[in-house]
Amino acid sequence: MSFLSHLTHPIRNLAQGRPVLAVFEACLRCNSQCGYCDLPLNQGRDELSRQNIQKIFTKLYQDDGIRYLFIQGGEPLLRKDLLGILEDLAAIGFNLGLVTNGTLLKPFFIKQLATLPITISVSLDTLNRERYASIRGADQLPQVLEGIAHLENFPHAKYITCIVSEKNRDDVLDVVKFSRSRGFIPVVGAYHWGIERYGKVDLALQYKRSAAIHVFNQVHESGMVPRGYFRQYLQDNIRWLEGKSLAPCDAGRHSVSIDASGNVAPCYALQPAGNLLDTSLADILTRMDRDAIKQCSDNSSCNLLCSRVVGSTLRHPISVFMTPQGLKAKDAASA
């Protein structure tokens, strides 16, 4: 592939409303049982082999103009060949983001990860061990904090993602402060329930919107979420909680979701429209239910980071230049 094609293909995709970002569910297994997660995991499906992943994603890069991948699960670090997969994807040319619960982060893995073009996002909803176990369904906070400590000198952007629910809403600001003190960019999102296939209905986690708005306003007023895209995302959460409409999401347009078996959906909330083992992405895109995508987006029923990042950046291009590529622990007090 020529350097010119490398640059122009994704630009053409953006102009034509075609995907430049994919979310890849690399693993069908998880060692947590989060109360707010309803992603279908190991339900009679097989995980793609490393060889098939390399084959499929080479085509997505060269023929379809995909340039950005969010790698998640389940818990992706449960795949013993994950490091090799990430090395393959980096060699193809992708910019990578790894989403993990942080329980399995070890020094050797992080050292190898540091050589790749990859960011890392660790999920952390509270610093209270009892509440962590209640939300996540597993007593794993010590392992997560150990994994975060191992990332102290990680040279690329690193994030801590906190999902606001009724159980942890009094803890969120502490998580944000903790994130900044460790050199992580805090990303704060709202628990969503009953959204198509995404978002488990858990009465213990459901909040009154007024209570959640108060939390998000606290975080916003703290100035600890840096200027740029992630502050815009924070403001989008507030808009959604206030019942205001959001701009159209990226699902099936600027982004797609690919599960561990190769099935492609507009996003994880919606049904797959084909499998990359036997069908091209171009053909799968023509099969997607655009009415269902529009209905979901028009209802503003979710503002998932993966389904909003490209469109939000296009609508707020200055946010690209304002968004930091990383923080140092000494920057904890600055925004």
Side-chain angles (χ1 to χ4, degrees):
M1 171 177 285
S2 70
F3 180 71
L4 184 61
S5 177
H6 169 83
L7 292 176
T8 60
H9 203 153
I11 294 174
R12 186 167 67 247
N13 279 14
L14 291 174
Q16 296 174 348
R18 296 174 65 84
V20 295
L21 180 150
V23 185
F24 177 42
E25 178 194 43
C27 182
L28 289 167
R29 293 157 284 146
C30 193
N31 59 347
S32 297
Q33 296 180 331
C34 302
Y36 50 66
C37 178
D38 203 24
L39 288 179
L41 294 176
N42 193 10
Q43 299 179 355
R45 295 178 291 156
D46 295 320
E47 294 173 356
L48 292 167
S49 67
R50 177 179 172 181
Q51 291 74 23
N52 275 335
I53 291 172
Q54 185 178 36
K55 178 181 177 181
I56 284 172
F57 282 90
T58 296
K59 189 174 187 301
L60 290 175
Y61 186 92
Q62 294 182 349
D63 297 348
D64 298 301
I66 302 290
R67 291 293 181 268
Y68 301 93
L69 293 180
F70 292 165
I71 313 297
Q72 61 178 54
E75 172 46 50
L77 271 69
L78 286 171
R79 277 199 73 138
K80 296 185 183 301
D81 58 353
L82 179 67
L83 185 58
I85 290 170
L86 296 175
E87 290 171 343
D88 292 343
L89 294 172
I92 292 168
F94 289 106
N95 292 287
L96 305 172
L98 178 65
V99 182
T100 173
N101 62 23
T103 59
L104 302 174
L105 290 169
K106 302 299 180 185
F108 173 77
F109 179 82
I110 293 169
K111 182 179 179 180
Q112 298 302 112
L113 209 64
T115 66
L116 305 178
I118 192 167
T119 64
I120 188 163
S121 177
V122 180
S123 300
L124 179 65
D125 301 323
T126 178
L127 297 170
N128 179 285
R129 185 170 180 175
E130 182 179 347
R131 281 194 289 276
Y132 183 97
S134 177
I135 294 169
R136 293 272 168 173
D139 181 13
Q140 297 171 323
L141 182 60
Q143 295 95 306
V144 178
L145 296 179
E146 181 182 349
I148 288 172
H150 291 324
L151 287 166
E152 179 180 3
N153 297 315
F154 187 67
H156 311 306
K158 52 189 180 181
Y159 311 95
I160 285 179
T161 300
C162 179
I163 301 300
V164 178
S165 71
E166 180 61 23
K167 283 189 178 181
N168 75 323
R169 60 186 175 87
D170 292 332
D171 304 336
V172 174
L173 196 56
D174 287 338
V175 173
V176 170
K177 292 176 180 177
F178 172 84
S179 304
R180 290 298 299 258
S181 71
R182 268 62 175 184
F184 287 75
I185 296 173
V187 182
V188 183
Y191 164 50
H192 296 18
W193 58 89
I195 305 170
E196 301 292 338
R197 297 192 309 151
Y198 184 93
K200 185 185 297 182
V201 177
D202 188 326
L203 296 178
L205 297 179
Q206 291 181 14
Y207 46 74
K208 292 182 179 179
R209 289 198 175 202
S210 58
I213 290 171
H214 176 69
V215 174
F216 279 89
N217 282 331
Q218 274 189 318
V219 173
H220 188 269
E221 291 165 5
S222 76
M224 301 198 78
V225 174
R227 294 181 179 88
Y229 175 72
F230 295 104
R231 189 172 294 183
Q232 183 63 48
Y233 176 65
L234 182 71
Q235 292 168 336
D236 280 349
N237 274 275
I238 294 172
R239 287 183 59 84
W240 177 77
L241 288 165
E242 290 175 341
K244 298 175 182 176
S245 62
L246 298 177
C249 73
D250 298 331
R253 189 167 54 128
H254 297 312
S255 68
V256 292
S257 295
I258 304 170
D259 76 9
S261 304
N263 297 308
V264 182
C267 77
Y268 282 131
L270 299 171
Q271 294 294 330
N275 189 290
L276 291 168
L277 288 172
D278 52 38
T279 310
S280 70
L281 178 62
D283 286 342
I284 292 173
L285 291 172
T286 66
R287 301 176 184 177
M288 289 184 177
D289 187 340
R290 300 291 164 177
D291 290 337
I293 297 171
K294 185 176 186 304
Q295 181 178 2
C296 188
S297 181
D298 286 350
N299 289 337
S300 296
S301 54
C302 89
N303 54 347
L304 301 177
L305 187 65
C306 55
S307 295
R308 297 280 178 183
V309 61
V310 179
S312 180
T313 299
L314 291 174
R315 289 186 290 272
H316 306 279
I318 196 171
S319 68
V320 176
F321 302 101
M322 298 177 68
T323 302
Q325 298 305 303
L327 297 174
K328 296 180 180 179
K330 67 181 180 61
D331 298 325
S334 63

